[in-house]
Amino acid sequence: MIWSHMKYMFFSAIYFIPLVIFIRVLANVIFKKTSHQTTWLHEIGVGLFILYLFGLFSQTVDFSFLVKGNIHFQGRINLIPFKGIRQVLNTREVQYIAINILGNIFVFSPVGFFLPLLWKKFNHILLATFCGFLLSLFIETMQLFQYRGTDVDDLILNTAGALVGYGCYLFFRKYFYTTIGKFRLQSIKGR
């Protein structure tokens, strides 16, 4: 079931490839006079990260309420930490546990991985994890206006996912240290 969600994320993101290319070309033209130069690995990484975000939003947020103008609370709200997690674990249904717990962690791990990989200023565990928290908070807030549930447990699990992603980044950095620099913007001396 997790793979079906990943498949939908992937196919939703594919439609945005031309937009991502346009955004990256435009950004490079606008910021050409800065003191940094991009690398092809940085561009690929940023493009993949943007596509990931498009795919994530396609599965978690329906922005049509903004277009329709009918903004009102529609979803369920759980503000009691670990209530939903306990309920899921009590079912003892492996597939349900995998989707609701592991899926929420797994889907946010790219945040904790890509941010420090692509931008040196995010190379801190608290900052990368906090960005995952903010992104999850944004999604959960937007879900208040949809026929979906807003759950503090999703916020906890998504933040844990960003932390797991940062751990994957540390593993990558340990074994591929020289490669890390190739994913980041390069300083141009003399500017």
Side-chain angles (χ1 to χ4, degrees), residues 31-46:
F31 298 113
K32 189 169 182 97
K33 295 182 181 180
T34 66
S35 61
H36 290 88
Q37 177 180 329
T38 189
T39 66
W40 65 274
L41 279 176
H42 179 76
E43 288 302 315
I44 290 172
V46 170

Side-chain angles (χ1 to χ4, degrees), residues 55-68:
L56 179 65
F57 288 141
S58 75
Q59 298 302 302
T60 57
V61 180
D62 179 9
F63 290 104
S64 67
F65 72 90
L66 294 172
V67 177
K68 295 175 184 174

Side-chain angles (χ1 to χ4, degrees), residues 25 30 34 38 46 53 72 82 95-97 107 109 116 124 130-131 143 160 179 184 189-190:
V25 168
I30 291 171
T34 66
T38 189
V46 170
L53 291 174
H72 58 279
F82 304 105
Q95 187 175 11
Y96 190 63
I97 292 169
V107 79
S109 59
H124 191 279
F130 185 64
C131 287
Q143 288 179 348
T179 309
R184 294 198 174 137
K189 300 203 189 290

Side-chain angles (χ1 to χ4, degrees), residues 9-187:
M9 278 182 69
F10 174 77
F11 285 115
S12 297
I14 284 178
Y15 293 114
F16 291 101
I17 289 175
L19 178 63
V20 170
I21 292 170
F22 174 75
I23 290 170
R24 292 310 302 157
V25 168
L26 184 63
N28 283 319
V29 168
I30 291 171
F31 298 113
K32 189 169 182 97
K33 295 182 181 180
T34 66
S35 61
H36 290 88
Q37 177 180 329
T38 189
T39 66
W40 65 274
L41 279 176
H42 179 76
E43 288 302 315
I44 290 172
V46 170
L48 288 174
F49 185 61
I50 294 171
L51 287 173
Y52 154 76
L53 291 174
F54 279 128
L56 179 65
F57 288 141
S58 75
Q59 298 302 302
T60 57
V61 180
D62 179 9
F63 290 104
S64 67
F65 72 90
L66 294 172
V67 177
K68 295 175 184 174
N70 59 347
I71 299 175
H72 58 279
F73 294 110
Q74 300 177 19
R76 301 173 318 276
I77 301 172
N78 171 33
L79 298 176
I80 302 169
F82 304 105
K83 176 184 176 185
I85 293 172
R86 280 194 307 273
Q87 289 173 344
V88 168
L89 291 173
N90 286 338
T91 66
R92 294 196 173 110
E93 293 179 33
V94 175
Q95 187 175 11
Y96 190 63
I97 292 169
I99 291 168
N100 286 287
I101 294 178
L102 298 178
N104 273 309
I105 292 171
F106 178 73
V107 79
F108 264 73
S109 59
V111 175
F113 181 79
F114 275 111
L115 286 177
L117 177 68
L118 298 171
W119 297 283
K120 191 174 184 176
K121 64 183 172 185
F122 290 103
N123 192 9
H124 191 279
I125 190 167
L126 292 177
L127 187 55
T129 305
F130 185 64
C131 287
F133 168 80
L134 289 178
L135 179 61
S136 180
L137 182 62
F138 172 76
I139 289 171
E140 293 301 316
T141 302
M142 291 295 101
Q143 288 179 348
L144 284 170
F145 307 104
Q146 303 172 46
Y147 291 105
R148 296 188 60 140
T150 297
D151 196 335
V152 68
D153 291 343
D154 288 348
L155 188 61
I156 293 167
L157 294 169
N158 295 159
T159 304
L163 184 62
V164 167
Y166 190 82
C168 293
Y169 161 76
L170 291 177
F171 177 83
F172 184 79
R173 185 179 75 180
K174 180 177 180 180
Y175 292 102
F176 303 99
Y177 185 76
T178 55
T179 309
I180 295 290
K182 296 175 184 176
F183 279 96
R184 294 198 174 137
L185 292 174
Q186 305 297 312
S187 252

